[in-house]
């Protein structure tokens, strides 16, 4: 961040220097907030990808392996002396159990995905600090001051006659 001691006459910094310093510091703060959010989201995306891959593998196993392997396993169990219907039920139950286990693994990975808590807390803290900052009050501008600043002879006549105050008031309102 900027160091006020770097400026000559650092106790008497101009408004331009103060605005430039505040702008630079605010820009650095926003940049750091974005970097933190990216880092947190990147971690959660990796967890989400692992969970998604688990569901994809589960789907592939159920779609491609069940028809092929279930017939082979069922006939293998049937050759051991069990009835053919019971053999097919055992094989089907085994594949359902495998699918449920993979689904539970995927759900466990998805539950670990969290919102970027550090970024949210930091953004809330920054917002709270900025809400407490009070803007520099503007001096009140009257119609007479606007007419006197213009320095024309018409403005002197308008002030004396009182005419033009409505117009000057409208100008003062539009300039603030």
């Amino acid at each position: 961040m900027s160091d006020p001691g770097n400026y000559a006459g650092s106790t008497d910094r101009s408004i331009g220097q103060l605005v430039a310093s505040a702008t630079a510091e605010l820009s650095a703060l926003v940049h750091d907030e974005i970097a933190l959010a990216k880092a947190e989201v990147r971690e959660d995306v990796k967890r989400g990808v692992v969970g998604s891959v688990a569901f994809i593998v589960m789907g592939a196993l159920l779609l491609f392996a069940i028809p092929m392997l279930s017939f082979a396993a069922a006939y293998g169990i049937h050759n051991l002396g069990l009835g053919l219907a019971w053999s097919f039920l055992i094989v089907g139950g085994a594949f359902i159990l495998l699918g449920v286990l993979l689904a539970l693994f995927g759900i466990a990975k998805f539950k670990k995905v969290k919102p970027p808590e550090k970024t949210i807390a930091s953004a809330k803290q920054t917002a709270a600090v900025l809400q407490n900052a009070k803007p520099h009050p503007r001096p009140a501008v009257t119609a007479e001051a606007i007419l006197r600043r213009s320095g024309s002879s018409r403005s002197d006549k308008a002030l004396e006659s009182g005419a033009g105050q409505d117009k000057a008031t409208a100008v003062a309102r539009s300039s603030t």
Side-chain angles (χ1 to χ4, degrees), residues 44-121:
D44 286 338
V45 166
K46 287 179 184 176
R47 289 185 192 125
V49 166
V50 169
S52 297
V53 168
F55 274 112
I56 290 169
V57 169
M58 175 199 62
L61 282 175
L62 291 176
L63 290 176
F64 298 120
I66 288 178
M68 241 185 326
L69 297 177
S70 62
F71 280 103
Y75 281 111
I77 294 172
H78 177 66
N79 284 337
L80 294 176
L82 203 58
L84 191 59
W86 286 108
S87 299
F88 274 97
L89 281 175
I90 291 171
V91 171
F95 280 115
I96 289 173
L97 180 64
L98 180 63
V100 167
L101 289 176
L102 284 173
L104 291 175
F105 175 75
I107 289 169
K109 288 297 180 182
F110 276 127
K111 285 185 178 179
K112 289 184 180 179
V113 176
K114 299 176 185 173
E117 295 170 357
K118 293 177 186 176
T119 303
I120 293 170

Side-chain angles (χ1 to χ4, degrees), residues 6 11 13-14 19 24-25 28 53 56-58 62-64 89 97 110 118-119 138 141 143 147-148 150 155 169 172:
N6 289 342
T11 57
R13 291 170 62 184
S14 70
V19 169
E25 290 177 7
V53 168
I56 290 169
V57 169
M58 175 199 62
L62 291 176
L63 290 176
F64 298 120
L89 281 175
L97 180 64
F110 276 127
K118 293 177 186 176
T119 303
R138 290 181 144 183
V141 179
L147 290 174
R148 283 201 179 109
S150 67
S155 63
T169 304

Side-chain angles (χ1 to χ4, degrees), residues 6-56:
N6 289 342
Y7 297 101
S10 62
T11 57
D12 296 332
R13 291 170 62 184
S14 70
I15 293 176
Q17 289 171 330
L18 291 172
V19 169
S21 174
T23 302
E25 290 177 7
L26 188 60
S27 175
L29 177 66
V30 169
H31 185 269
D32 291 345
E33 294 283 342
I34 291 171
L36 177 62
K38 283 181 181 179
E40 287 183 332
V41 169
R42 193 175 297 125
E43 289 177 19
D44 286 338
V45 166
K46 287 179 184 176
R47 289 185 192 125
V49 166
V50 169
S52 297
V53 168
F55 274 112
I56 290 169

Side-chain angles (χ1 to χ4, degrees), residues 144 147-148 150-165:
E144 292 177 14
L147 290 174
R148 283 201 179 109
S150 67
S152 69
S153 60
R154 285 185 184 172
S155 63
D156 294 336
K157 290 178 185 174
L159 284 174
E160 291 172 4
S161 67
Q165 284 189 355

